[in-house]
Amino acid sequence: MTPAIEDLLRGLAPQVLGLLARRNERFDLCEDAVQEALLVAAQHWPAEGLPSNPRGWLLTVASRRLTDLWRSENARRQREVKAFRLSVDEDLVDVPAEDDTLTLLFLCCHPALSASSQLALTLRAVGGLTTAQVAHAFLVPESTMGQRISRAKDKIRATGTSFQLPPEEERAERLRVVLHVLYLIFNEGYTASSGPELQRVELSAEAIRLTRAVRRLLPDDGEVAGLLALMLLTDAHRPARTAPDGSLIPLAEQDRRCWDAEAIAEGTELIETTMATSPLGPYQLQAAIVAVHNEAARAEDTDWRQISVLYHVLERIAPNPMITLNRAIAVAMVDGPAAGLALLGPLAADRRLAGHHRFHAVRAHLLEMAGEPAAARVGYLEAARRTTSQPEQRYLTARADRLA
């Protein structure tokens, strides 16, 4: 299958699923039907060429498959099948133009689901990835991912949630969950949590594509724009993050000429416009921090004082131990490593972070800055022991060896 057809199918998948689910409510069966329609298209379109109406073609195939699923479910559905077939036949030529992507995202990020289920279901139902592709992205067997997706759909069905936007009073909180899920997908793509590769480009690209789709639907939401800017400004570093052998290159040592200038320009314009017109939010502040890094021609030109101030504001409006950890680095660059290490003290007792490899890596870095190589070496080795990313393990071990 060509990349163009693959992109087309991924774009059409949520549209067709939305149309089907809106008409028939049974999200679980509709999602299965669309997945099978996508597979049929992937087999036929490369050889036979695109149909004149790709979305109508997919809707037709998915609708027929849904009829089959209903028929096999039990005989009581027969009357519904008949009525449904009539509606399908009437609507095949004139495919409605509604875009239900946002409704789908709210459904896939339902609060009854675990974070891992939200990620998997979002990628399959909204991203148009197959179960095998989602399983590959998260390095689990296809059967495991299939079971995870099935359980997620069963849980949604058990909640009795209908296919419609959440009530107005719940939308802000539900949108926050959607953005968090998209950010998790991006982060897993930008720095894989395990395995031999530092990055899974397909995941970060998919997160950016889906966030662009949400922004088209909610163009006035400052945090949607902030998240898209954050992804663009961060992903711009990707070409310089790995050496030819796949090893990690830290930000301070990257060749900044390799950064994606087009993504930086788009992200910078987006965040500058958004921060001037929208209420300030955590994603906007994080994007602003990355923008400051991107402004520096050399690592030593970085405006750490401005970054420290931005982290201070971010910590006040969205307290989180990972933000404090990042702030400690900025503070250390401005006021010295002792000041940064003082901020890390309380984090050692925070169960959300104390066992995380990044805590030990940052602490080791600040100890090295403070002229304590032996303690720093112990910290780097501890961080290497705790991460399951092989490139990060190699990088941290090399830092420890350098201090031996």
Side-chain angles (χ1 to χ4, degrees):
M1 186 164 55
T2 65
I5 292 179
E6 190 169 348
D7 289 345
L8 178 61
L9 287 174
R10 285 187 179 183
L12 291 174
Q15 299 175 34
V16 174
L17 177 54
L19 287 169
L20 215 56
R22 181 177 292 282
R23 287 172 171 173
N24 304 285
E25 290 295 328
R26 286 292 303 273
F27 171 77
D28 53 343
L29 293 183
C30 293
E31 206 275 333
D32 286 342
V34 171
Q35 281 292 314
E36 295 195 27
L38 292 173
L39 289 175
V40 175
Q43 292 168 351
H44 287 264
W45 290 5
E48 301 172 3
L50 293 179
S52 58
N53 181 355
R55 193 165 72 139
W57 189 99
L58 278 175
L59 181 61
T60 302
V61 175
S63 299
R64 288 173 178 159
R65 181 55 186 144
L66 180 59
T67 302
D68 294 338
L69 290 171
W70 267 347
R71 180 181 291 149
S72 63
E73 193 175 44
N74 60 56
R76 290 180 303 169
R77 293 283 184 186
Q78 289 307 309
R79 283 186 299 177
E80 296 175 62
V81 170
K82 184 177 180 180
F84 173 71
R85 274 184 154 171
L86 289 173
S87 68
V88 167
D89 290 341
E90 290 171 354
D91 296 344
L92 284 184
V93 177
D94 183 19
V95 180
E98 293 102 328
D99 187 341
D100 292 306
T101 300
L102 191 60
T103 308
L104 269 179
L105 275 166
F106 279 128
L107 194 63
C108 294
C109 300
H110 195 287
L113 303 181
S114 66
S116 60
S117 295
Q118 290 171 336
L119 294 174
L121 198 55
T122 296
L123 286 172
R124 201 175 103 143
V126 189
L129 274 63
T130 64
T131 303
Q133 288 171 320
V134 180
H136 175 74
F138 289 98
L139 302 180
V140 299
E142 184 176 349
S143 58
T144 301
M145 186 54 70
Q147 291 170 1
R148 185 179 300 173
I149 291 171
S150 293
R151 285 196 298 269
K153 289 191 291 187
D154 289 345
K155 189 166 283 188
I156 287 176
R157 185 182 176 189
T159 65
T161 304
S162 58
F163 187 76
Q164 57 186 3
L165 288 170
E168 186 67 38
E169 63 272 18
E170 295 180 14
R171 284 186 199 171
E173 176 60 20
R174 295 286 296 275
L175 178 61
R176 189 189 65 77
V177 176
V178 168
L179 297 185
H180 182 62
V181 167
L182 294 176
Y183 191 38
L184 289 178
I185 294 172
F186 176 81
N187 281 337
E188 183 61 26
Y190 190 69
T191 303
S193 57
S194 61
E197 305 294 334
L198 179 67
Q199 307 176 80
R200 293 181 190 138
V201 178
E202 72 279 10
L203 277 183
S204 50
E206 186 60 21
I208 291 173
R209 188 183 73 82
L210 292 176
T211 307
R212 283 190 191 280
V214 176
R215 176 158 164 70
R216 282 195 295 273
L217 298 168
L218 299 172
D220 298 326
D221 190 286
E223 277 298 83
V224 174
L227 178 59
L228 179 57
L230 174 59
M231 290 180 178
L232 291 169
L233 292 167
T234 304
D235 196 58
H237 302 167
R238 182 166 45 80
R241 290 187 70 219
T242 52
D245 63 358
S247 58
L248 184 156
I249 301 176
L251 183 66
E253 298 172 18
Q254 290 173 12
D255 182 349
R256 300 181 177 218
R257 295 169 300 180
C258 297
W259 287 357
D260 185 337
E262 188 175 336
I264 290 174
E266 182 184 357
T268 302
E269 181 181 0
L270 184 58
I271 194 57
E272 287 178 350
T273 303
T274 300
M275 291 185 77
T277 57
S278 301
L280 199 58
Y283 291 120
Q284 294 172 58
L285 281 165
Q286 291 179 77
I289 290 169
V290 183
V292 175
H293 279 291
N294 291 349
E295 287 173 359
R298 303 174 303 164
E300 52 268 40
D301 297 331
T302 304
D303 186 348
W304 284 106
R305 191 169 297 281
Q306 186 180 356
I307 291 174
S308 178
V309 170
L310 288 169
Y311 268 125
H312 183 69
V313 177
L314 178 59
E315 195 176 33
R316 287 178 59 190
I317 68 170
N320 178 294
M322 192 60 81
I323 291 172
T324 304
L325 184 69
N326 291 330
R327 182 183 162 224
I329 299 172
V331 168
M333 297 301 290
V334 175
D335 299 323
L341 285 166
L343 282 177
L344 295 188
L347 296 183
D350 191 315
R351 60 180 177 78
R352 294 171 295 176
L353 194 67
H356 199 290
H357 75 278
R358 277 215 70 219
F359 170 78
H360 294 277
V362 169
R363 186 169 181 276
H365 176 60
L366 299 189
L367 286 169
E368 185 179 358
M369 285 176 63
E372 298 184 46
R377 184 170 186 274
V378 171
Y380 282 130
L381 291 174
E382 182 64 21
R385 187 180 70 80
R386 290 176 181 271
T387 182
T388 51
S389 162
Q390 294 173 22
E392 286 191 321
Q393 281 176 350
R394 288 194 295 271
Y395 171 76
L396 292 164
T397 302
R399 293 292 296 251
D401 291 346
R402 197 173 61 179
L403 298 174

